[in-house]
Amino acid sequence: MIEVLCLLLGRLLLLLVGGYELLWRIRERLNALVRWSYDHLWRSRAARELHERRVLTACRSQLTKTPQHLVLVISPSEAAVDAALLGRIFGFALDVGIQHVSVYDKREQGGGFVELAELGQSTGEGKGSCFKWPSKPKMSEGEPLNGQKTNGYVNGSHSPQLQIYQISTADGHALIADVCRELYEDRRTPMVQGLLSQKREALTEQINAMLTKRLGFVAPEPELGIVFARQTCTYGLLPWHVRFTEFHTHPSGRHFDVEAFANILSKYSRCEQRWGK
Amino acid sequence: MSWVSDYKYTWAERLTMQALRSCGHIPHHVAFVMDGNRRFARSQQLDKIEGHSRGFAKLADCLRWCLDMGVREVTTFAFSIENFKRSSEEVEGLFNLAREKFARLLEERARLDEHGIRIRVIGNIELLPLDLQKLVASAMLSTERNDKLFLNVAFAYTSRDEITQAVETVLLHASDDLRPEDITERLLEECLYTRHSPPPDLVFRTSGETRLSDFMMWQLSTSVLYFSNVLWPQITFWHFLASILSYQRDRWQLDDYRRAERLQSLRLAKRSEFYGERVQKFLTTIDEDRRKLLVRLASN
């Protein structure tokens, strides 16, 4: 009798949770539709950009710390993150002073996967996974109006560019295995023998250096990660590098705009990193 | 049993637990990051070590909940290598707490055997004081035949150190029989401290922090991560149930991804002759050497 009651109660609980989830998703999608419509159909692009700049300026003035490296994790079933949204996020990141953005897109080609090569300008580093964004530097506000030739310089300076990186599955566990294999092949060399005779930290440093070389770009470890998924999961993202990354999940279906970005940055700014102490 | 409390459930708690057990999938392996002991101590005007002691008491409750819920494996992050940066007073206090708890565990060996609980301490235990190494090794050896429930205590642990240890193991233990092409992520995974454990289904971190702090970074690529604002010593059974419910809700979203990862892992194993004699002989050697180390530490 108790078992039957528990079974019924369990089913009811799951039904309630399922029902709540369904209502939540409908609400989020309607909200996303309304906000998207306002942004793209009602408000002009110039007005939207002005609003975004205001929000980011206000956000930046309140931040006590800004991440240098942001990583975006896109789950295999995520449908809303496309090239346009990534472009906007890159713009937000540039405006608040973030210097590096990595994109770890777990979707298949043809299933929404975004090639950063289409968004950014290749730097030639990192086996073709490093880019600068925007491709062509924006003209700064001090651009002379009299048509004077500037050779790409305005008042002596270029507009800043963001470093963006395309992270793949092969950059995770497999890359660490590659490093191990390389060390194994050189196991009899004085270098490796020397590492094995020292404290383990020496080997850790060597592995770190080799991973950086194989990744092909030099960037600090990501301090902040935004996971675009229904639930929080790393999906195998850079197990060596994201040990201290603050993860924030942006649930699938929810509209992502400048306010969402600013909110995540504010939360990051408020979190206390104790580094084990 | 000091490590597993005699928690008294209310009728509502018992009913809800039975309900979740009967119609939802229970995670096989749950990992806990027990964060918030010191903040709890500060809020209650207690000593830091008292905060950690309350944290251990809460761990005992949590292990009871896991046992009764049907969770078969629990991993807890007790002490990070990074925590050596804390004051010597606090570090020594934590070690004293560990000494007390492991000594008590050895006294309760019979009850552990009765419940089939196996204790494994994962981490660089050679960084610990010698007497603690002995206690830890003794606890592991005395429960090594138990196979119903597994408690993994991450002590003197970071994921980076663990991965480095795995690479070091390959470099030190591999004979000339092991070929470079045998070294894949599949092999490296078997060289981690968690060699005989499946990856965690659910990782539960308390205190509101949303980072992993170098905990099981390799293993949790398919885990549901659950972050709660509650401080560890203040966690209740309802918080635990909420995490289980959250897992039950979220796991089906990850099922396709997990299936694909398992398939990929199987293909890699087949391609790299992981199940061949060379690799299996190497892994057997690792198991033997690790046991020998424990025997040596236990007899110090």
Side-chain angles (χ1 to χ4, degrees), chain A residues 102-145:
Chain A
S102 300
V103 179
Y104 183 58
D105 195 340
K106 287 297 289 180
R107 297 172 297 188
E108 301 282 332
Q109 296 278 359
F113 181 85
V114 176
E115 286 280 4
L116 292 192
E118 292 165 15
L119 290 175
Q121 173 187 14
S122 177
T123 62
E125 294 169 352
K127 297 170 287 184
S129 63
C130 305
F131 307 91
K132 283 190 187 288
W133 186 92
S135 294
K136 289 172 188 171
K138 282 189 289 193
M139 298 307 287
S140 67
E141 285 167 10
E143 181 189 6
L145 300 170

Side-chain angles (χ1 to χ4, degrees), chain A residues 78-96:
Chain A
E78 175 63 37
V81 179
D82 54 12
L85 179 58
L86 283 180
R88 286 180 67 196
I89 294 174
F90 295 159
F92 299 159
L94 197 61
D95 281 348
V96 297

Side-chain angles (χ1 to χ4, degrees), chain A residues 142-182:
Chain A
E143 181 189 6
L145 300 170
N146 57 9
Q148 197 174 10
K149 284 185 184 172
T150 60
N151 294 326
Y153 282 81
V154 177
N155 296 335
S157 62
H158 264 298
S159 285
Q161 283 181 299
L162 192 64
Q163 297 276 97
I164 59 175
Y165 313 105
Q166 186 113 54
I167 308 285
S168 72
T169 308
D171 295 327
H173 299 102
L175 201 71
I176 299 171
D178 287 348
V179 163
C180 183
R181 199 179 308 116
E182 188 181 327

Side-chain angles (χ1 to χ4, degrees), chain A residues 221-237:
Chain A
E221 290 174 16
E223 296 106 317
L224 177 62
I226 303 176
V227 181
F228 290 93
R230 183 65 191 91
Q231 66 292 315
T232 312
C233 179
T234 65
Y235 296 97
L237 168 71

Side-chain angles (χ1 to χ4, degrees), chain B residues 201-255:
Chain B
D201 299 296
L202 171 65
V203 177
F204 186 166
R205 178 167 188 155
T206 52
S207 89
E209 308 293 359
T210 57
R211 56 183 177 263
L212 295 159
S213 298
D214 215 357
F215 178 58
M216 299 184 89
M217 301 304 301
W218 182 290
Q219 295 90 332
L220 48 68
S221 56
T222 57
S223 307
V224 170
L225 307 180
Y226 182 80
F227 300 111
S228 173
N229 289 335
V230 68
L231 301 177
W232 177 256
Q234 293 176 314
I235 191 177
T236 65
F237 184 63
W238 295 109
H239 291 113
F240 175 70
L241 285 184
S243 73
I244 299 294
L245 193 61
S246 182
Y247 167 78
Q248 290 178 339
R249 181 198 62 189
D250 290 344
R251 67 166 274 267
W252 70 271
Q253 303 259 0
L254 283 172
D255 267 352

